[in-house]
Amino acid sequence: MSLAADALQPFFVPGLINVEGRPDPTPLADLVGKQRKIGFDLDFDNAAQAVLADFRDTKPVLNSYAYDCSRLAASAFQSMRSLPDLIASSEEVAWGLIRSYYASFYAGHSLMRIFGTSCSHFDRNHVAFIINLGLAYGKRPTFQFNSGLYQCAAFNASTAINMKAIQLNNGGTHETFWKAFSELMKDLAARVLHGPLSQIEAQSVYVKLDSFQKSITSGGLTSGSWLSAVRNEVQYRNGYGAWLPVDIKKHHRETLSRLGAQWKRDPMEIDVGTGAGGQIGEFVVACAFVVALCRTLLTRMRDRSPKPARSFASLGPLSVLRLSEQLAA
């Protein structure tokens, strides 16, 4: 059992661990800004510039968190399963690095759902639907309510959602996401110290999360977008010698391959933040850490479910892992 799972389980969004079966395909943004089957109370908190949706029931809210969590984690695991071979190949190392980034990006989104929040995109249709629904209630936002990325946080024991626009100056979607994710990890690390573990155990988990935090805020990128910056350098500027003619030597690629394969390990055993393998090695380790943490927490969610075989985690993202193992055999 992972000490990280022991430390972080108390902060899972209430009720998600009990969701069974395959969730209905309703993303969080669609739950509030598209579907018409499930009614809810809508309000605008003009002082906080937030949209509030109260369903008076946990089922629709938890279904959407479970659905988003499941599809995003499955994408992460699928992206990682052949990663070591790609990184070891001189012709595919660049795409291996890019895939490792997107795997961590998907896994990070899934992790946010596990803890009851999200970065969800509301398009023009979502915004128009919400405004028109508000008008039907006799309510109108006095703040600027446009399409974009919104942080959606569950509250009222997972019966309601608070949605607030988030953005960075001159930043894109990825930079905005990593800032929100970095803030979540920092908050969780602090809360772990006051959780149910012994002081020594809690401190070890805190140090691991803090090491990851330091990794993704390196290079002066205090917003936590270092992984995105490295990916941009590889993908758009042909940086780090990853494209043909490849400057990354065979022994270094083999090291990177081993580091990337750590996503199947206990995240507590991953030496994130040590700079192993140089800057590009640290990038691969940090990506693997995010995916490993996502896999570990979903496994804990399945194991603590009243019916583990029926858990949404078992039927969704963890089934991708079983398929990978079967294909490898």
Side-chain angles (χ1 to χ4, degrees), residues 196-213:
L197 299 187
S198 69
Q199 184 176 1
I200 293 177
E201 291 176 329
Q203 187 67 29
S204 67
V205 177
Y206 173 86
V207 169
K208 185 64 63 175
L209 295 177
D210 186 60
S211 296
F212 170 74
Q213 184 76 8

Side-chain angles (χ1 to χ4, degrees), residues 41 83 158:
D41 293 332
L83 185 67
S158 303

Side-chain angles (χ1 to χ4, degrees), residues 70-316:
S70 183
R71 66 182 177 85
L72 289 160
S75 298
F77 301 153
Q78 183 178 353
S79 298
M80 289 297 273
R81 65 186 183 187
S82 61
L83 185 67
D85 292 336
L86 285 177
I87 293 181
S89 168
S90 62
E91 294 187 357
E92 301 293 343
V93 60
W95 285 116
L97 296 174
I98 293 168
R99 278 180 60 173
S100 66
Y101 168 79
Y102 278 102
S104 68
F105 181 70
Y106 297 141
H109 272 286
S110 182
L111 281 167
M112 291 191 77
R113 269 71 172 186
I114 289 175
F115 297 110
T117 187
S118 78
C119 287
S120 300
H121 185 265
F122 284 69
D123 61 28
R124 290 182 301 174
N125 292 329
H126 290 130
V127 170
F129 180 92
I130 292 170
I131 289 177
N132 289 333
L133 184 60
L135 292 175
Y137 281 110
K139 301 174 182 179
R140 181 193 298 271
T142 59
F143 58 92
Q144 193 173 28
F145 180 41
N146 298 321
S147 59
L149 203 62
Y150 282 72
Q151 190 154 5
C152 304
F155 70 104
N156 278 0
S158 303
T159 65
I161 307 173
N162 178 308
M163 295 150 283
K164 188 171 183 178
I166 52 174
Q167 61 183 5
L168 290 174
N169 292 332
N170 301 318
T173 298
H174 285 249
E175 289 78 9
T176 302
F177 161 73
W178 286 113
K179 181 178 186 295
F181 184 74
S182 175
E183 290 174 347
L184 173 65
M185 290 295 104
K186 185 177 181 179
D187 176 66
L188 288 171
R191 293 168 71 185
V192 161
L193 293 175
H194 303 285
L197 299 187
S198 69
Q199 184 176 1
I200 293 177
E201 291 176 329
Q203 187 67 29
S204 67
V205 177
Y206 173 86
V207 169
K208 185 64 63 175
L209 295 177
D210 186 60
S211 296
F212 170 74
Q213 184 76 8
K214 290 177 180 176
S215 178
I216 64 172
T217 56
S218 61
L221 296 171
T222 56
S223 65
S225 61
W226 181 73
L227 294 179
S228 180
V230 173
R231 188 266 309 191
N232 287 339
E233 186 67 25
V234 173
Q235 187 169 0
Y236 300 119
R237 302 182 184 90
N238 288 20
Y240 295 98
W243 298 91
L244 294 174
V246 175
D247 290 335
I248 304 176
K249 303 303 181 184
K250 181 178 179 181
H251 72 277
H252 194 187
R253 296 198 308 272
E254 290 174 346
T255 297
L256 295 176
S257 176
R258 290 193 296 272
L259 293 175
Q262 293 185 102
W263 71 277
K264 291 185 177 181
R265 299 180 66 186
D266 181 342
M268 295 298 293
E269 298 174 355
I270 300 177
D271 292 328
V272 64
T274 64
Q279 190 174 53
I280 202 68
E282 179 59 29
F283 168 82
V284 172
V285 170
C287 290
F289 178 83
V290 180
V291 182
L293 186 62
C294 180
R295 178 189 53 76
T296 297
L297 296 189
L298 283 172
T299 300
R300 170 58 61 89
M301 192 164 288
R302 176 200 65 192
D303 293 345
R304 292 293 189 269
S305 170
K307 298 179 181 178
R310 289 290 302 159
S311 167
F312 82 92
S314 180
L315 295 175

